């Protein structure tokens, strides 16, 4: 799940000025008028998710002549805000309003339906722009690397989230929801998201922007129980208290927490940071204490349940007799060495099997390299950089998950992107980006795309798609009905 608040106090956030920066790093603004068009920096950003839009926002705010073009492979913008945030968390999507203001600036242009690396190369963008910022996120997921991972009934949580959120590449996923038990490998916010969507009453889901196809599938779901499995213990879970509280209070579902997992933890959390302490206290309360009136009422009438399994590491997905589908999972029972965040799970030698017909792997996202001309650290899944400057390639920058790895929340990405934009501004001020050398920006790219039969989608085109989705949603009593087929999107705008 993407959310708006930071986990710590590593950043200063100045709301009134509409900017955030690392403590001690000066914001450079370019407000004096420059006389000639040759002095206009042309900057392009690859990716229209939070990292791309926040980078653009900072550049436009602090350089009064800079022109920014944002390229996106899909016809529609906003990345994980549209395709990652859970349907029942509309408040998190409010950042789209800010991004829309940025896109509507007369110095910003959006070009969707353009795949950088295929339709136009990074080298061609570098020829057309003074600076190129790569903000294309993490398009893949980490693999389990165990036998049976490719069986039918085993999916990445990323694909499952994409399915119910209308990501075009996942629209034909068709997960089999006929099993009573689902197992989610991972104990982060995305894991809780998928568990919550599977267990949420239909009358609540119908009021969200969940896709029509996934809503129909969930309506006929036989799922009654969802287990969330982690290699380590309660003190190492990655989800946050907001998401846990939503699960505890989920109508029609009761939690299954083993009291033995939480014995003695009250003493262990006396000196841990406050967010971790409050989170663990809620788990302890749910597991050990008599439920309050509100919880008791929910749990007494519950027909579904969810639970946390700790100290379990997947060894093998077990196949059905015909070898085609998943029927369960074999896990190693683990124990912890060390304590706190740095504790590691080691096998005890004991093994446990669990029957389940649907297994969702929620162990993290992964960025992919964009091409041979862009350095890439495959081990860490990032573009090597210093403060967003790509190592060894002047004029090339990166922001967001491809810069730092797939961690943090939306505000983390905001600060990270402002930081990269600040590096661009500093390099402009220092003369490291030669703006006296005129660059044509999209005018150069347009002819390349035309020669390759690529038809870009403008932001006004997106607004037509947006209006159609909202109109369809109103007919169904929901915020919008997402169009999941890119060809339908393009037909709608006359492409």
């Amino acid at each position: 799940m993407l959310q708006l608040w930071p986990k710590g106090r590593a950043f200063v956030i100045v709301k009134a000025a509409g900017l955030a920066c690392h403590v001690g790093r000066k914001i450079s603004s370019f407000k004096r008028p420059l006389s000639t068009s040759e002095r206009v920096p042309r900057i392009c950003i690859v990716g229209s998710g939070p990292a791309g839009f926040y980078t653009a926002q900072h550049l436009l705010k602090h350089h009064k002549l800079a022109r920014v073009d944002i390229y996106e492979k899909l016809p529609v913008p906003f990345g994980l805000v549209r395709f990652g945030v859970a349907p029942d968390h509309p408040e998190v999507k409010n950042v789209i309003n800010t991004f829309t203001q940025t896109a509507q600036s007369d110095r910003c242009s959006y070009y969707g339906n353009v795949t950088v690396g295929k339709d136009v190369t990074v080298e061609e963008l570098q020829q057309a722009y003074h600076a190129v910022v790569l903000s294309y996120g993490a398009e893949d997921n980490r693999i389990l690397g165990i036998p049976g991972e490719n069986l039918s009934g085993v999916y990445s949580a990323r694909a499952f989230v994409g399915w119910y959120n209308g990501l075009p590449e996942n629209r034909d996923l068709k997960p089999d929801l006929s099993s009573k038990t689902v197992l989610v490998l991972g104990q982060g916010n995305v894991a809780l998201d998928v568990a919550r969507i599977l267990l949420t009453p239909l009358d609540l889901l119908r009021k969200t922007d969940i896709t029509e196809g996934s809503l129909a599938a969930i309506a006929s779901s036989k799922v009654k129980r969802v287990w969330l499995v982690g290699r380590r213990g309660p003190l190492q879970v990655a989800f946050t208290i907001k998401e846990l509280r939503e699960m505890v209070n989920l109508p029609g579902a009761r939690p299954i927490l083993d009291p033995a997992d939480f014995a003695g933890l009250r003493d262990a959390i006396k000196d841990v940071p406050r967010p971790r302490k409050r989170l663990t206290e809620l788990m302890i309360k749910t597991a050990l204490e008599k439920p309050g009136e509100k919880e008791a009422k929910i749990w007494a009438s519950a027909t579904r349940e969810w639970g946390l399994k700790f100290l379990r590491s997947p060894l093998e997905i077990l196949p059905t007799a015909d070898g085609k589908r998943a029927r369960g999972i074999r896990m190693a029972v683990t124990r912890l060495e060390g304590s706190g965040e740095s504790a590691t799970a080691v096998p005890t030698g004991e093994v446990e099997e669990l029957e389940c017909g649907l297994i969702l792997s929620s162990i993290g996202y992964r960025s992919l390299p964009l091409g041979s001309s862009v350095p890439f650290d495959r081990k860490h899944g990032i573009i090597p950089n210093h403060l967003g400057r790509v190592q060894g390639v002047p004029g090339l920058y990166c922001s967001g998950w491809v810069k730092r790895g797939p961690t943090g929340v939306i505000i983390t990405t905001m600060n990270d992107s402002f930081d990269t934009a600040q590096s661009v501004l500093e390099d402009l001020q220092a003369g490291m980006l030669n703006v006296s050398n005129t660059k044509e920006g999209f005018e150069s790219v347009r002819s390349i795309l035309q020669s390759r039969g690529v038809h870009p989608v403008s932001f006004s085109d997106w607004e037509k798609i947006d209006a159609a989705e909202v109109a369809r949603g109103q007919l169904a009593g929901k915020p919008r009905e997402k169009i999941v087929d890119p060809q339908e999107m393009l037909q709608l705008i006359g492409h």
Side-chain angles (χ1 to χ4, degrees):
M1 214 287 292
L2 298 170
Q3 64 182 32
L4 292 172
W5 307 113
K7 291 182 179 176
R9 291 286 178 262
F11 303 102
V12 171
I13 300 155
V14 189
K15 284 190 177 179
L19 58 92
C21 60
H22 281 296
V23 175
R25 192 167 189 199
K26 183 181 178 182
I27 294 290
S28 300
S29 291
F30 295 73
K31 295 182 180 178
R32 62 186 186 279
L34 300 179
S35 58
T36 63
S37 60
E38 287 80 13
R39 303 289 294 277
V40 174
R42 305 299 295 257
I43 303 164
C44 100
I45 295 171
V46 179
S48 70
F53 268 106
Y54 279 128
T55 303
Q57 177 187 326
H58 192 85
L59 289 168
L60 294 167
K61 180 179 178 67
H62 294 285
H63 197 301
K64 296 307 178 185
L65 288 174
R67 299 191 66 89
V68 177
D69 293 341
I70 301 174
Y71 291 87
E72 167 61 50
K73 72 174 184 176
L74 291 170
V76 295
F78 309 134
L80 281 182
V81 179
R82 176 178 168 100
F83 297 118
V85 173
D88 57 348
H89 286 170
E91 73 285 352
V92 183
K93 302 182 188 187
N94 288 337
V95 292
I96 285 176
N97 299 328
T98 303
F99 298 162
T100 296
Q101 289 178 355
T102 298
Q104 290 174 337
S105 162
D106 57 7
R107 292 185 291 121
C108 184
S109 296
Y110 168 82
Y111 300 104
N113 197 41
V114 177
T115 302
V116 174
K118 184 180 74 131
D119 299 333
V120 60
T121 66
V122 173
E123 297 95 319
E124 288 168 334
L125 291 176
Q126 288 174 294
Q127 291 294 315
Y129 293 89
H130 296 107
V132 175
V133 185
L134 304 176
S135 309
Y136 61 87
E139 300 178 277
D140 201 7
N141 52 272
R142 293 172 57 196
I143 62 170
L144 292 167
I146 61 174
E149 186 171 8
N150 296 320
L151 288 170
S152 178
V154 183
Y155 304 96
S156 70
R158 177 189 175 278
F160 193 76
V161 169
W163 169 69
Y164 64 64
N165 269 335
L167 184 61
E169 68 184 70
N170 301 128
R171 68 186 188 273
D172 298 321
L173 195 70
K174 294 182 174 60
D176 184 352
L177 304 180
S178 63
S179 172
K180 287 186 177 181
T181 301
V182 173
L183 185 135
V184 183
L185 293 166
Q187 293 181 334
N189 282 340
V190 174
L192 284 190
D193 276 353
V194 298
R196 193 179 65 254
I197 295 300
L198 282 167
L199 298 175
T200 294
L202 276 177
D203 60 333
L204 297 181
L205 282 183
R206 285 194 184 100
K207 298 172 184 175
T208 73
D209 67 358
I210 191 170
T211 62
E212 185 179 27
S214 55
L215 182 63
I218 292 172
S220 58
S221 167
K222 300 291 192 295
V223 174
K224 297 294 184 186
R225 179 186 299 112
V226 179
W227 288 110
L228 298 109
V229 177
R231 293 178 298 110
R232 300 189 295 169
L235 291 178
Q236 289 80 35
V237 296
F239 52 72
T240 49
I241 192 166
K242 175 181 178 289
E243 281 66 35
L244 178 63
R245 192 177 289 117
E246 285 179 319
M247 289 298 291
V248 171
N249 296 323
L250 185 63
R254 73 170 69 87
I256 316 167
L257 301 184
D258 185 349
D261 289 329
F262 301 91
L265 278 193
R266 289 191 194 277
D267 291 334
I269 61 171
K270 284 181 179 177
D271 299 320
V272 301
R274 187 169 181 267
R276 171 70 65 184
K277 184 176 182 180
R278 291 178 62 233
L279 172 65
T280 309
E281 285 172 344
L282 180 55
M283 286 191 284
I284 291 171
K285 178 183 176 183
T286 306
L288 300 181
E289 296 180 11
K290 184 179 178 181
E293 186 177 340
K294 180 181 177 182
E295 291 89 350
K297 188 175 180 180
I298 292 172
W299 300 347
S301 60
T303 58
R304 297 176 175 183
E305 56 192 20
W306 61 275
L308 301 171
K309 280 187 176 291
F310 302 106
L311 302 174
R312 301 290 186 273
S313 181
L315 294 173
E316 179 184 2
I317 310 295
L318 304 173
T320 51
D322 61 8
K324 294 180 179 179
R325 288 192 50 77
R327 67 167 178 84
I329 188 168
R330 179 176 294 123
M331 300 178 288
V333 178
T334 62
R335 60 178 176 80
L336 292 184
E337 286 189 352
S339 60
E341 302 286 344
S342 61
T344 57
V346 296
T348 63
E350 187 181 346
V351 172
E352 177 180 285
E353 291 186 5
L354 185 71
E355 294 291 316
C356 52
L358 179 63
I359 297 167
L360 301 172
S361 170
S362 184
I363 58 171
Y365 289 55
R366 185 175 64 135
S367 294
L368 297 173
L370 193 55
S372 57
S373 68
V374 180
F376 193 77
D377 180 344
R378 290 184 178 273
K379 181 180 178 182
H380 298 101
I382 60 170
I383 295 173
N385 70 92
H386 177 66
L387 292 176
R389 299 177 178 94
V390 176
Q391 291 180 9
V393 191
L396 190 62
Y397 303 82
C398 57
S399 67
W401 282 2
V402 77
K403 171 186 173 184
R404 72 177 189 276
T407 60
V409 293
I410 285 181
I411 205 164
T412 322
T413 294
M414 182 185 79
N415 282 285
D416 167 284
S417 302
F418 286 179
D419 223 20
T420 291
Q422 192 60 26
S423 292
V424 177
L425 294 173
E426 289 172 2
D427 291 352
L428 282 167
Q429 192 171 44
M432 297 172 65
L433 300 173
N434 184 13
V435 294
S436 63
N437 179 17
T438 303
K439 300 272 190 172
E440 296 297 327
F442 181 70
E443 292 309 309
S444 297
V445 175
R446 186 199 306 273
S447 58
I448 295 172
L449 297 178
Q450 285 177 341
S451 71
R452 293 169 186 168
V454 179
H455 303 286
V457 170
S458 68
F459 200 77
S460 61
D461 288 332
W462 148 246
E463 289 176 324
K464 294 173 187 173
I465 297 169
D466 178 45
E469 290 186 341
V470 171
R472 293 181 188 188
Q474 286 176 340
L475 294 175
K478 54 196 294 194
R480 73 173 60 239
E481 186 59 66
K482 288 180 183 173
I483 299 170
V484 299
D485 183 352
Q487 288 307 310
E488 185 181 349
M489 297 177 190
L490 297 177
Q491 288 169 7
L492 184 71
I493 58 176
H495 273 43

